[in-house]
Amino acid sequence: MDIGGILKERRQRREETLEEVAYRAGTDAGNLSRIERNRQDVSVQRLGRLCAALEMSLTELFEELEGRTKTPHLRDPAAAFDKETRELISIVAALTPSRRRLLMKIAEDVRDSKGLS
């Protein structure tokens, strides 16, 4: 994830210094430099202030980030899940529609009985 790189590119396109952007964002140049180099974690609140200082929205930032990390085609969408979820997807895929509905009802009942809803 290259959030820092996106921020740095935006700052450089605007021909602004670290000090200028950091001042508007309520931080210091050293902190911004570490964030741009992905050497420091950044809170959502600080990220929002940095985006505002660069006149971009968080939505724009995340859309650009998604565009950089998105793979053209995910061959196995289930690969994005943990082992148990992948196994559950495999089991559900093999069921008939009526059995899937039954499983959904059972899952809802389990969720509701455990107070997880």
Side-chain angles (χ1 to χ4, degrees), residues 52-86:
L54 292 166
E55 296 180 337
M56 70 188 301
S57 68
L58 281 170
T59 301
E60 289 176 280
L61 174 73
F62 287 121
E63 284 173 351
E64 187 167 340
L65 183 63
E66 183 179 77
R68 290 182 181 196
T69 58
K70 188 180 270 187
T71 54
H73 298 287
L74 187 58
R75 292 182 184 182
D76 181 13
F81 299 107
D82 61 35
K83 181 180 177 184
E84 290 81 13
T85 304
R86 289 193 311 270

Side-chain angles (χ1 to χ4, degrees), residues 34-46:
R34 287 186 298 277
I35 291 169
E36 286 185 350
R37 290 179 287 126
N38 297 307
R39 299 282 190 246
Q40 180 172 320
D41 290 336
V42 59
S43 69
V44 174
Q45 184 179 26
R46 175 157 295 153

Side-chain angles (χ1 to χ4, degrees), residues 91-111:
I91 291 168
V92 171
L95 296 176
T96 65
S98 63
R99 292 203 176 237
R100 283 185 195 159
R101 285 190 296 276
L102 177 60
L103 183 59
M104 283 297 295
K105 175 67 176 136
I106 292 168
E108 289 167 353
D109 288 345
V110 168
R111 178 197 64 200

